[in-house]
Amino acid sequence: MKEYKVKGLSCPNCTLEMESKIKELDHAGNSQLSYTKGKLIIHENVNLTKVQDILSTENAVIIADDEEHTHIGMNREKWLLIGSATLFFVALTLDFTLYNSFFVIPIYLTAMVISGYKTFIKGLRNLVKFTFTIDTLMTVALIGAVAIGEWKEGTLVAILFGLNEYLEGLGMEKARNSVEKLLDLAPKTATMIKNGMEKLVPVESLQVGDVVLIKAGETIPSDGVVIEGKSSVNEAAITGESLPVEKESGESLFGGSINNEGILKVKVTKAFEDSSLAKILHLVENAQETKTPTELFINRFAKYYTPFIMIFAALVTIVPPLLFELSWEKSLYQGLAVLIVGCPCALILSSPIANISGITRNARNGILVKGSVFLELLGKLNMLVFDKTGTLTKGEPHVEKTIVYDDSLFYPVVAAIEKKSTHPLAKAIMQKVEPLVPHLEDATNVRAIAGQGLKAVVNGESYWVGNEKNLQHLEMLEEVKSDIQKLKKEGLTLVIVASERHILGIFGISDEVRPESRWVIQALDKVGIHKTVMLTGDHEQTANKVAKQVGMASVYSNLLPEQKAEKIKKMINDGNIVGMVGDGINDAPALATANVGIAMGKGTDSAIDTADVVLMQDHLGKLPSAIRIARRVNRLIKINISIALSLKAIALLLTIPGLLTLWIAILSDMGATIIVTILSLTVMIERKHKT
């Protein structure tokens, strides 16, 4: 399958019709023509000339140079509109100065043809097939206007409808371009080192194990690991974080990051199509294609709405002359105005541009939303459930409290015993004590005692490092017993250091709470998430301690993964729309059960694959922003739908006293479309919020 960019797709329904026709060609059964992406995916054996013929019926074209065609296409439409508008004003001036309209009618007709010929041709074709679209409505309206001699208003209808379509195309193009800016993050070439020689190669050709050279200012072509050099790297394209990250030998890199200074030699660990950047771009592109419940409703509504408008227009035309002796000419005029008011342009556009803008805005912040449906749900959440370990906490042990009974021996002994251990608790202890011990002794005869800890010899004396079971050879003082109970009540894991005669001291170790966790919970409350819950497999004391630190009222502890999923299922059954926040590696059942699964993991494969929303940062800081953007999109879509329907309803009500004119009809339709498009694009504008 090959992918081509297509310009000129100005109508979702027309795009679907063209896709159906393309699929009828030989080898084209699996073809896809995307309105939102402006792309065609098709088998390489399909006759492109025939495809282009189908696309040309809607003035669309396959292009090689995106920017050049955009300028040419948009300029052509613009100049046609300017030309027809100029002719219209010339005709209007002559209309007021000449008594004979014989010379004016050809000018009106020329202006009408220049701006409305595409709509007219498509509408006639649809009428023959009894397909009722926007173009069908406009064609009937134009024919009617000419039939009753309303040259002036018929021409204005054609021009304003052309302007309407131009602005729609401009709005959708703006939304598409915002996505394409993300796609431009992917580098096209890389400098590969092979047999000591540098060679410029396409990034698509890079394989696992290849070595590439990345100079200052260059983009890292794919995920890899530094094997030589030191530099700071801008990872904003992946994580949304603007601060540079220092990288040196042995550290991993994301494809799409930018090397700020120095030269890095990098070993590729993933082919480009499997890299974090490629996955992000793929997800953002495909996210546009999903339909939300709101969009599906609008599509179903529009399907029945257009025939209804045509029937209503027919009734407005026929009933008044038959029952109320109104002139046929005036009734036909009112019926034509109803057809124009009935164009569902604004209604159809009320959702997709806002959703694309929201998805792209979040992606720029390092937040991947896998589809419009998840963006809508994210904005509807009223409850967020958090995993504890690795989500609210760092998932790494650290020494929270220290009680020392023997100042001279405690730190030197524990440093001597733990310095060679790879156990996570030992690493946490060494981070605490290493700065306090100027000279590290060597421990001998170090041996592990299953379920208890370590026993070793330091300077000829035996020492124990471990839990309470490691102290069976001692009779503990009441003071020590009291301290142990106190630390355990605080939910701390204990590491006790003892000699053959007495206890030297105690470390109270905990999983450190992330510094942003507390203010994130507060920020979520401000954006409307008032119900926050913590689910954890840890014991009750530890769970309650973390919940208190982060300001979370509800907590459930001692839960297995399947029990977490059951809790979430109950919350949903109670009428909540629930989001589950986890690390993307554990708690897969809970993430899958929630209405929206939100994973954090700084771009790990499991995080991207498991969740509906992915926080590419290794913290929760961007979560309130993601929800705020989603809520804003949902709010704008409701406003858009209200504007689209309200303006049409007001215009249609004017038919009762007979005040609806073609001018009012086209202005109500175009006004709604312009307002809807502009409001949708405001999602892309950055706003500063206090948290």
Side-chain angles (χ1 to χ4, degrees):
M1 302 293 282
K2 294 189 72 175
E3 187 178 280
Y4 299 93
K5 286 186 178 180
V6 179
K7 288 294 171 183
L9 298 176
S10 58
C11 160
N13 291 330
C14 306
T15 302
L16 287 173
E17 285 180 23
M18 288 190 290
E19 184 184 72
S20 298
K21 290 177 183 176
I22 291 169
K23 285 182 176 180
E24 292 172 6
L25 300 175
D26 292 339
H27 312 292
N30 294 324
S31 301
Q32 295 176 21
L33 183 61
S34 169
Y35 169 66
T36 52
K37 289 190 284 189
K39 287 191 177 179
L40 170 68
I41 299 173
I42 198 164
H43 195 278
E44 56 189 12
N45 292 336
V46 176
N47 188 325
L48 278 182
T49 304
K50 291 182 178 179
V51 172
Q52 187 58 71
D53 289 342
I54 293 169
L55 293 173
S56 64
T57 61
E58 300 292 343
N59 205 40
V61 62
I62 295 172
I63 58 157
D65 188 334
D66 177 47
E67 186 176 356
E68 182 181 348
H69 184 274
T70 300
H71 287 311
I72 292 171
M74 297 310 286
N75 279 335
R76 181 173 174 274
E77 294 294 322
K78 182 174 70 176
W79 286 112
L80 282 174
L81 283 169
I82 290 171
S84 59
T86 303
L87 287 172
F88 174 74
F89 283 112
V90 168
L92 201 62
T93 305
L94 291 174
D95 213 358
F96 282 115
T97 55
L98 297 177
Y99 292 104
N100 190 344
S101 61
F102 179 78
F103 297 104
V104 179
I105 291 173
I107 302 175
Y108 277 132
L109 185 60
T110 304
M112 192 186 298
V113 168
I114 289 173
S115 57
Y117 76 95
K118 288 189 295 181
T119 301
F120 189 75
I121 292 168
K122 286 189 282 187
L124 280 180
R125 194 165 56 238
N126 289 336
L127 271 176
V128 172
K129 296 184 294 183
F130 291 98
T131 303
F132 302 109
T133 65
I134 299 166
D135 298 302
T136 315
L137 294 179
M138 292 307 299
T139 300
V140 172
L142 287 173
I143 293 170
V146 170
I148 62 175
E150 292 289 348
W151 296 99
K152 185 193 308 176
E153 295 192 7
T155 304
L156 183 65
V157 165
I159 292 170
L160 291 179
F161 186 72
L163 177 62
N164 202 28
E165 287 210 312
Y166 174 77
L167 292 172
E168 282 179 32
L170 209 61
M172 183 53 73
E173 199 61 46
K174 178 86 173 170
R176 287 184 191 132
N177 287 341
S178 68
V179 175
E180 286 174 7
K181 283 179 183 176
L182 281 176
L183 303 184
D184 288 341
L185 294 170
K188 304 295 184 289
T189 58
T191 305
M192 187 168 74
I193 301 174
K194 196 168 186 179
N195 300 324
M197 302 288 290
E198 294 181 17
K199 183 182 179 183
L200 206 63
V201 299
V203 291
E204 293 84 2
S205 66
L206 290 177
Q207 300 296 318
V208 175
D210 287 345
V211 175
V212 293
L213 194 69
I214 300 156
K215 299 173 184 175
E218 289 185 344
T219 303
I220 294 156
S222 188
D223 292 7
V225 61
V226 180
I227 57 175
E228 191 178 306
K230 186 176 181 180
S231 179
S232 66
V233 172
N234 183 349
E235 294 182 340
I238 306 297
T239 66
E241 303 284 15
S242 57
L243 293 176
V245 181
E246 296 296 326
K247 299 287 182 180
E248 57 185 28
S249 184
E251 295 198 76
S252 59
L253 296 168
F254 288 123
S257 304
I258 297 171
N259 180 20
N260 286 333
E261 75 272 336
I263 296 176
L264 294 175
K265 195 179 284 186
V266 177
K267 184 177 181 180
V268 175
T269 55
K270 288 181 184 176
F272 177 74
E273 61 267 21
D274 298 322
S275 68
S276 299
L277 178 63
K279 286 188 175 183
I280 291 170
L281 301 182
H282 178 72
L283 284 172
V284 171
E285 272 202 300
N286 288 323
Q288 303 168 60
E289 296 303 301
T290 58
K291 296 286 185 187
T292 68
T294 303
E295 286 178 315
L296 292 171
F297 167 76
I298 290 170
N299 289 346
R300 287 196 302 270
F301 181 77
K303 184 179 177 182
Y304 298 104
Y305 171 79
T306 304
F308 165 77
I309 286 294
M310 295 197 75
I311 293 168
F312 183 67
L315 291 173
V316 168
T317 304
I318 296 168
V319 172
L322 292 178
L323 299 182
F324 306 107
E325 297 182 357
L326 198 71
S327 72
W328 282 97
E329 186 177 345
K330 187 168 184 181
S331 289
L332 180 58
Y333 182 90
Q334 289 275 295
L336 296 176
V338 168
L339 285 179
I340 294 167
V341 169
C343 289
C345 303
L347 190 63
I348 290 170
L349 284 174
S350 60
S351 183
I353 295 179
N355 278 323
I356 292 171
S357 299
I359 289 168
T360 308
R361 170 79 184 279
N362 271 323
R364 285 181 184 173
N365 284 339
I367 302 155
L368 296 185
V369 183
K370 288 190 178 179
S372 299
V373 65
F374 300 119
L375 186 71
E376 184 172 304
L377 282 170
L378 189 66
K380 290 180 177 178
L381 293 180
N382 71 321
M383 177 180 282
L384 266 176
V385 177
F386 292 84
D387 173 38
K388 181 184 76 72
T389 307
T391 303
L392 293 169
T393 65
K394 291 183 176 180
E396 298 172 357
H398 88 118
V399 176
E400 184 176 319
K401 287 196 173 180
T402 307
I403 298 175
V404 182
Y405 302 115
D406 190 323
D407 292 322
S408 62
L409 291 176
F410 179 61
Y411 290 120
V413 165
V414 76
I417 297 173
E418 297 280 41
K419 71 176 181 179
K420 293 182 180 178
S421 175
T422 58
H423 193 282
L425 293 181
K427 289 182 178 179
I429 289 169
M430 287 306 295
Q431 283 182 342
K432 173 73 175 178
V433 304
E434 202 165 6
L436 305 174
V437 182
H439 174 68
L440 294 179
E441 301 285 348
D442 286 325
T444 58
N445 297 332
V446 180
R447 60 190 181 92
I449 304 171
Q452 297 183 21
L454 298 173
K455 184 179 180 182
V457 175
V458 179
N459 293 329
E461 296 285 337
S462 293
Y463 295 95
W464 286 259
V465 177
N467 56 32
E468 292 172 85
K469 295 177 183 177
N470 217 2
L471 307 175
Q472 293 174 354
H473 64 290
L474 290 175
E475 186 175 335
M476 285 189 285
L477 298 172
E478 287 302 319
E479 178 193 358
V480 176
K481 287 181 181 179
S482 174
D483 288 339
I484 289 174
Q485 290 305 313
K486 183 180 176 183
L487 293 175
K488 285 168 73 174
K489 280 182 181 178
E490 292 177 15
L492 299 175
T493 299
L494 305 187
V495 175
I496 303 170
V497 184
S499 67
E500 290 184 328
R501 293 177 297 279
H502 61 273
I503 294 175
L504 307 180
I506 307 170
F507 291 108
I509 297 177
S510 68
D511 184 2
E512 188 175 4
V513 172
R514 290 179 179 274
E516 79 278 4
S517 291
R518 186 172 183 84
W519 72 256
V520 163
I521 300 300
Q522 293 171 345
L524 288 171
D525 186 66
K526 289 179 181 177
V527 299
I529 307 291
H530 306 305
K531 301 177 186 176
T532 51
V533 181
M534 186 174 76
L535 303 181
T536 179
D538 268 356
H539 55 77
E540 186 179 354
Q541 289 172 324
T542 302
N544 288 336
K545 178 189 173 187
V546 172
K548 186 178 179 182
Q549 283 181 290
V550 302
M552 198 175 291
S554 300
V555 57
Y556 298 93
S557 54
N558 297 307
L559 297 177
L560 297 172
E562 58 269 24
Q563 291 174 318
K564 292 181 183 180
E566 285 298 321
K567 286 283 184 187
I568 290 174
K569 195 178 293 183
K570 185 179 183 305
M571 293 169 191
I572 293 171
N573 290 338
D574 289 341
N576 295 298
I577 300 175
V578 181
M580 168 69 190
V581 189
D583 59 12
I585 300 169
N586 305 313
D587 300 318
L591 286 169
T593 304
N595 298 107
V596 182
I598 305 168
M600 51 182 289
K602 210 172 184 181
T604 58
D605 290 342
S606 54
I608 292 176
D609 294 339
T610 304
D612 307 313
V613 177
V614 183
L615 308 177
M616 297 300 288
Q617 313 84 25
D618 195 25
H619 60 76
L620 296 168
K622 297 290 180 76
L623 181 57
S625 170
I627 293 171
R628 188 183 296 113
I629 290 168
R631 287 185 186 275
R632 186 177 169 199
V633 168
N634 286 354
R635 190 164 57 249
L636 277 176
I637 289 171
K638 288 177 183 175
I639 292 170
N640 287 346
I641 293 170
S642 300
I643 290 170
L645 294 177
S646 297
L647 286 178
K648 291 183 187 302
I650 292 167
L652 290 174
L653 286 172
L654 292 175
T655 59
I656 297 171
L659 298 176
L660 181 62
T661 66
L662 293 180
W663 301 73
I664 294 172
I666 193 67
L667 286 171
S668 71
D669 178 60
M670 188 180 74
T673 303
I674 292 171
I675 293 169
V676 161
T677 302
I678 291 172
L679 283 177
S680 297
L681 291 173
T682 60
V683 177
M684 301 298 298
I685 300 170
E686 299 283 342
R687 287 181 177 178
K688 290 187 178 180
H689 294 271
K690 293 180 180 179
T691 56

